[in-house]
Amino acid sequence: MCGIIGYTGARSAVPLLLGGLRRLEYRGYDSAGVAVPSTTGGPVQLSRCQGKIAALEASLDKAPLAGPCGIGHTRWATHGKPSEVNAHPHRAGDVAVVHNGIIENHAELRARLQAAGSHFTSETDTEVIAHLVAHELTKDSDFLQAVVRAAAQLEGAWAIAAVNQKQPDTIVAARHSAPLLLGLGGPGVGEDSTAAENFVASDVSAILQHTRVVVDLEDGDLARITPNHYEVVDAHGKPVQRPRRRVEWSPAAAEKQGFRHYMLKEIHEQPRAIRETMLGAGVGADDVRFDGLSLDVSACARIVMLACGTSFHAALIGRSLIEGLARIPVEVDIASEFRYRDPIVRTTDLALAISQSGETADTIAALKEAKQRGAQTLAICNVLGASLSRVADQVLYTHAGPEISVASTKAFTTQLTMMVLLAIHLGRRTGHLTAERAKALVDGLQDLPAHIDNLLAASAAIRIVARRHQGARDCLFLGRGLCYPVALEGALKLKEISYIHAEGHASGEMKHGPIALVDGNMPVVVLAQRGPGYGKVLSNLEEVRARGGKIIAVATLGDHTIGDLADDLILVPDVAGELQPILASIPLQLLAYHFADLKGTDVDQPRNLAKSVTVE
Ligand code: M6R
C-alpha cells in the first residue's frame, strides 16, 4: 500500500527520495510524488504524477527540485481516484504532507476547515491534514506541537510526514496504527553518510541502503528530525525515549541479485530461509525450545489462530499439525471476520496471529480484540519490530529475510516450518509427542533445504507444463488433509499474479459442486501425495479425467501408478506427512510464476494488490 520516505541532511533530497520510493514500489501504488522546501523562498516545491515512479522521474528531469530536505510518497488510492491532483504530497500554506492510511473523520474536518476559509484542491482525506497543520501553525510556530494538535483531531489509522517552508530542514512525522520509523544517519552511523542526516520511512527497505540504525515509533508517537537531531514525543507532546536498534537485513537482501523477478529470487531463497528459521528456534535433537518463549501449555485450553491470505493458509495447516501432534484444540479465523462476529474468547485461550509483514490491519485488529477479551497472545511474524509484535505478549520470528514480491512464497514456507516447530514444541510439552517421533520430524526438517534445492532444479520442466496450459482461463486445485490448504494457496498464488481464475478445493468436495466446471479446457492441479487418502485422491483424478479435464498431478517420487492418470506429473520427495505441505508448495509457486511470466504480467506488483494491507 502507500509508502513514505523523508530525508533531511546535506545531500540533494530528490535522488534519495526517488531511490527510497523505488524500494517501496513493491508495496503497490498508483501515483507518486515528492515535496522539497525551497532553498530560495516561495512555497514548498511539489512534483507529483499518476502512474509509475518512472513518470515522476521524467517530470523531475524536466523540472528539477533542489534542496537537502524533502518527503516522498507512493499512493494506493483510497479516497479519490488515482490522479496527479490526488497524489501526495498535499500542500496547504507553508506545509506539505504525505500520509498512509485512512482519516475516518475527514468529511467532518473538511467541512469545518472549508467553513473557516480553507480551499481544497483534491478529493483526498490527506489534504485535511495539511490544512489542519497549516491552521495550527497560525496559533503557534512550533512545527512539532502544531502537528501534535492536528493529530489529536484525526480519527482512523495513519502515518504522516510533513515539511514546512518556514523550517526548511525539518520533517515532522507521526504514527497512529500505521507503520513508521526513523532512520539515523551521519558519519559512523549511516551506511554511506559523510555528513549529518536523518530519515523517516514507512518501511525499512526504503532506507536500508543508507542506514541500518533505526528508531521504531510507537503508536501515538510524533517525531521531529533535522540533520543533526531527532526527538520523539507522545500524543500529548511530552518527550519520550525510544530505543535505537540495528537492522540485520542486509541491503543486498532487498535486491533482485540477477533474478528476473523478486518472486523468482524469493522462491529460490527458501532453502536458506527455512534453515535460518530453524536456527532461530533452537532446534534440539528431539525437541524445539524457543528460548525466551514462555507458554504454560497446561493452562492453554485452546489456540485461536488469526491471519489473512497466505498466512491464513499457513494457519489452516498449523491447526492440523498442532491438533495432531499436541492434541490442543485449534480454531482458525480469517482476521477480517473475527472481531465482527462477537467471538467467544476465554482467558485460557492462546490467540496466535500469523503475519509475514506484521502490519496487516485486520490481523492486528483481530489480535487486539482477542487480547481485550482476555486471551494470551502470540504472534508469528517475519519483520522485527513490526506493529503486530508490539501488540502480542510474545513473538516468534520466521527468518525469511525481506520479502519484496507481493506474492508471498518464502514467507509462507517459513511460516509452515514454524508451524511444525511449534507443534513439536507443544507436543513435547503436552506429552503427546514421543521423543522418537519428534526426532524423526526434526531430522526430516533438517533435510528439507536439500529437497527444496532439488525441486527448484525442476523449474524449467514446470515452465514447460505452464506453457502447455498457457491458454487456460480457469484452473482448479485439489488437495486433501494437510494438502487441502496447499491447494488453496496454489490457487491464490496463480490468480494473484497471472489473473487466471483459480479455485482451491478439498478433493472430497469436488462432487459437491466444483466438478461442474471441469471440461477439456480446464487444468486441474491435484495434490496426490502418498499417505492417508491417497486412494481417494486417485478416484477424484479418475472423475476429472472422465470429464476431459487436464490433470497436473503433484505426486510422491517413486509413485508409478499416477503417471497413467495425469497429463503432467511433478514429483516431490517422499517425506513425513507433516512436512509434505512445505515441499508440495514449491512446484505450485513455480507453476504460478511461470504462468504469469509467460503471460507477461507484472509478476512482482500484480494489479490492484499491495504487499501489506495496512487498511481494514
Ligand atoms: O503480511 P501478512 O502475512 O499479514 O499478509 C497477509 C496477506 O495480505 C498476504 O498473505 C497476501 O495474501 C499475499 N499477497 C499472498 O501472496
Side-chain angles (χ1 to χ4, degrees), residues 307-312 354-360 363 403 405-409 411 415 489 492-493 496 609-613:
C308 298
T310 289
S311 298
F312 173 71
I354 306 172
S355 171
Q356 182 281 130
S357 60
E359 301 296 350
T360 301
T363 308
E403 190 177 69
S405 174
V406 164
S408 191
T409 53
Q415 286 170 345
E489 174 60 12
L492 175 64
K493 217 83 302 168
E496 70 179 333
L609 292 178
K611 181 62 186 166
S612 52
V613 183

Side-chain angles (χ1 to χ4, degrees), residues 385-579:
S387 304
L388 188 66
S389 68
R390 277 179 250 146
V391 174
D393 301 322
Q394 302 187 73
V395 189
L396 294 175
Y397 286 102
T398 49
H399 293 273
E403 190 177 69
I404 305 294
S405 174
V406 164
S408 191
T409 53
K410 60 176 180 171
F412 178 59
T413 49
T414 52
Q415 286 170 345
L416 296 187
T417 304
M418 185 56 87
M419 287 298 164
V420 179
L421 295 169
L422 185 59
I424 296 173
H425 175 84
L426 296 172
R428 295 294 287 131
R429 275 142 198 85
T430 57
H432 286 281
L433 182 64
T434 63
E436 193 186 1
R437 180 85 193 106
K439 182 174 183 328
L441 286 171
V442 167
D443 290 348
L445 279 168
Q446 310 281 12
D447 293 340
L448 284 182
H451 288 319
I452 295 175
D453 275 329
N454 291 334
L455 283 169
L456 293 172
S459 180
I462 292 175
R463 189 171 182 89
I464 293 170
V465 176
R467 195 185 296 281
R468 223 185 333 262
H469 300 280
Q470 212 179 329
R473 297 185 53 184
D474 310 277
C475 189
L476 279 185
F477 288 74
L478 305 179
R480 291 188 85 87
L482 281 166
C483 279
Y484 161 47
V486 178
L488 295 178
E489 174 60 12
L492 175 64
K493 217 83 302 168
L494 184 65
K495 79 181 94 169
E496 70 179 333
I497 60 169
S498 74
Y499 318 143
I500 293 170
H501 165 234
E503 292 181 18
H505 291 282
S507 323
E509 280 293 291
M510 268 292 279
K511 288 193 276 296
H512 301 287
I515 201 162
L517 296 171
V518 175
D519 63 15
N521 301 318
M522 166 81 90
V524 181
V525 181
V526 183
L527 293 151
Q529 269 80 358
R530 283 244 191 75
Y534 174 73
K536 293 209 168 65
V537 173
L538 287 190
S539 311
N540 299 139
L541 241 126
E542 294 278 14
E543 289 154 12
V544 172
R545 207 175 146 79
R547 281 146 190 94
K550 299 279 175 276
I551 296 169
I552 303 170
V554 178
T556 313
L557 209 65
D559 182 340
H560 300 298
T561 316
I562 204 159
D564 297 338
L565 293 173
D567 296 271
D568 293 286
L569 186 58
I570 301 169
L571 294 170
V572 298
D574 197 1
V575 293
E578 289 85 348
L579 308 180

